[in-house]
Amino acid sequence: MSHASPPVRRLADWDHDRLSRLAAEHGTPLYVLDLDRVAANYERFASAFPDAHVMYAAKAHTGHAVLSKLLETGADIECAAWGELQRAIDAGADPDTLQYTAVNPPDRDLDYAVDLAEDHPGLTITGGARDTFDRLEARGYDGRVAIRINPGIGTGHHEKVATGKDAKFGIPYDEVPGLADEIGERFDLVGIHAHAGSGVLHDDLDDHCRAIAKVAEMGRTVEQSHDLAFVDFGGGFGVPYREDEDPLDMQVVGERVSEAVGDLDAQVKLEPGRYVVADAECILTEVNTVKETPAATVVGVDASLATLIRPAMFGSYHPIRNVSAPDRGAEPVSVGGPCCTSADVFCTDRPVARPEREDLLAIGNAGAYGYELANQFHSQPRPAEVAIEDDDARVVRERETLADVTRVER
């Protein structure tokens, strides 16, 4: 079974010869996606929670190839915007199985979801503000809803993803029982939802389980007066980005989460995103400049913060490996791209097998929020994406041209 695959895939585990061939054929920067790894990660996660309903959080990677592979593997899809709903449907999802988690939803998003629910009443809309429910009612909607609650406990790799204690997300905990009674009279209240944070590893697991226990307790409170179909604990389970970090033992995590949840009549839902896709994708980039300075050896590459913005946005660590010469002696280098900002740096003074001009470097763990956050800063067309599946490789996203960048201008 594929869920028996190693719990983390390091950059050294990729086939370097194949990566070199893909870069030569398709150019750089290039996203390389392993769809078999996506499926294996999902199956490993689902096997740790055999009694839960596991939904993939599409926002981590909304590519058609990823969604199609996960639907084929047996996943349902959770969406955070109307475009994700449409892309899930385009990939083959049954709209009646979708869950839409509305966060400060624009009118367009709510209009789309309400129209979709007219023909597909199985769609569930999750609201995290009283306004959202009022706006749904104003549109004539009275279907399936869930209440997103704020447990007051945030976890994860960065304060910007610790959603469980951010007032932007969810109804304040103490207000939920009263709101549930009100919502139950206006809609079909089917669930309670929460999300504590993102990138949770072993050091964060205690806090994460405290948040889960708090959400479960609210689920039991609401169950006393409402017939809930589910309590959704979100996702947030991380992968080790640094080489010295250990991966989660998902069987242990499953036991810890089950213990934190305790007894619930409603079904447990979980929404992994990052865990499923992060280590299933890397970025290939070519060295174009090596500059020795008194402060650092600067290595310039053709990828940039337009290709992968997470280091600039979150200070995120992504492993880097010299694919062309992995055994060359390592030297501390700073690797950055062609953007005219000091934020365009992938690492600073990090030991890497000494890069030379035209070497191919790989940047790891790019599958979660990598291409999703890619942009066109400096009029850089976004890169191509190649998917590996079984023994085949195919382009699943064409490299943009400058004409693509300027097409919508008038």
Side-chain angles (χ1 to χ4, degrees):
M1 294 291 290
S2 55
H3 64 247
S5 62
V8 63
R9 187 180 205 183
R10 310 287 188 182
L11 268 180
D13 299 328
W14 289 78
D15 182 333
H16 286 30
D17 289 340
R18 189 173 200 179
L19 293 179
S20 297
R21 292 194 301 271
L22 290 173
E25 180 178 356
H26 300 286
T28 57
L30 179 70
Y31 272 84
V32 180
L33 168 69
D34 186 336
L35 291 173
D36 296 320
R37 181 68 187 175
V38 170
N41 288 341
Y42 172 81
E43 290 182 357
R44 187 185 320 101
F45 187 96
S47 71
F49 301 96
D51 298 323
H53 180 190
V54 179
M55 308 185 78
Y56 168 65
K59 63 182 178 289
H61 192 309
T62 327
H64 186 278
V66 168
L67 296 179
S68 297
K69 185 67 173 181
L70 286 167
L71 288 166
E72 174 188 314
T73 308
D76 284 330
I77 309 295
E78 181 268 340
C79 304
W82 81 271
E84 292 178 8
L85 288 167
Q86 184 60 59
R87 292 177 77 175
I89 294 168
D90 291 344
D94 178 353
D96 282 297
T97 67
L98 294 175
Q99 187 166 312
Y100 166 46
T101 306
V103 181
N104 299 336
D107 286 343
R108 173 190 59 206
D109 287 44
L110 287 186
D111 291 341
Y112 178 92
V114 169
D115 288 346
L116 184 62
E118 286 186 10
D119 294 324
H120 301 283
L123 175 74
T124 302
I125 301 177
T126 302
R130 289 175 180 271
D131 264 2
T132 301
F133 293 109
D134 291 342
R135 293 166 66 202
L136 286 170
E137 187 176 42
R139 286 163 169 76
Y141 182 76
D142 61 0
R144 290 169 56 92
V145 298
I147 299 174
R148 180 168 183 169
I149 72 175
N150 187 314
I153 301 171
T155 58
H157 69 92
H158 193 282
E159 62 181 11
K160 292 182 180 178
V161 299
T163 54
K165 61 180 179 182
D166 188 336
K168 175 180 177 178
F169 299 97
I171 303 293
Y173 191 83
D174 293 340
E175 297 179 17
V176 173
L179 180 63
D181 292 339
E182 176 188 331
I183 294 302
E185 294 178 359
R186 300 161 62 192
F187 305 93
D188 180 14
L189 177 60
V190 296
I192 297 293
H193 177 282
H195 182 75
S198 185
V200 171
L201 289 173
H202 289 290
D203 290 346
D204 308 301
L205 198 53
D206 286 345
D207 284 342
H208 197 65
C209 286
R210 283 198 303 116
I212 285 174
K214 194 171 180 180
V215 174
E217 185 57 38
M218 181 58 69
R220 283 186 285 273
T221 297
V222 175
E223 277 185 334
Q224 293 176 12
S225 52
H226 300 276
D227 185 17
L228 296 181
F230 64 83
V231 176
D232 188 336
F233 297 93
F237 301 98
V239 297
Y241 282 68
R242 295 179 181 271
E243 293 88 344
D244 59 354
E245 291 177 325
D246 292 327
L248 291 171
D249 182 331
M250 288 311 300
Q251 295 304 315
V252 171
V253 172
E255 293 167 3
R256 290 284 308 276
V257 169
S258 178
E259 180 181 349
V261 169
D263 294 329
L264 271 176
D265 292 334
Q267 184 173 44
V268 170
K269 274 193 180 184
L270 295 166
E271 301 170 1
R274 181 190 311 276
Y275 184 87
V276 175
V277 293
D279 72 355
E281 191 156 38
C282 67
I283 296 168
L284 302 180
T285 182
E286 184 176 285
V287 175
N288 53 54
T289 304
V290 179
K291 180 171 61 173
E292 304 286 349
T293 77
T297 298
V298 178
V299 175
V301 296
D302 58 4
S304 72
L305 62 76
T307 316
L308 179 70
I309 201 172
R310 295 189 72 254
M313 187 174 184
F314 298 121
S316 300
Y317 181 101
H318 283 263
I320 298 175
R321 186 173 175 84
N322 189 333
V323 173
S324 297
D327 298 323
R328 195 182 289 156
E331 294 182 1
V333 298
S334 297
V335 178
C339 291
C340 189
T341 168
S342 298
D344 188 21
V345 175
F346 295 113
C347 73
T348 302
D349 292 332
R350 187 188 304 174
V352 177
R354 188 182 70 254
E356 298 178 358
R357 194 188 311 161
E358 298 184 355
D359 277 354
L360 182 67
L361 305 186
I363 303 172
N365 281 350
Y369 310 101
Y371 211 110
E372 287 299 304
L373 295 174
N375 59 82
Q376 298 168 330
F377 183 47
H378 276 330
S379 296
Q380 295 183 79
R382 283 175 292 197
E385 184 177 33
V386 172
I388 298 169
E389 190 170 18
D390 298 323
D391 294 325
D392 296 324
R394 68 183 192 279
V395 175
V396 294
R397 199 158 352 203
E398 299 284 349
R399 185 178 303 280
E400 288 183 338
T401 65
L402 186 58
D404 294 321
V405 176
T406 60
R407 180 170 291 122
V408 297
E409 293 185 10
R410 293 290 181 269

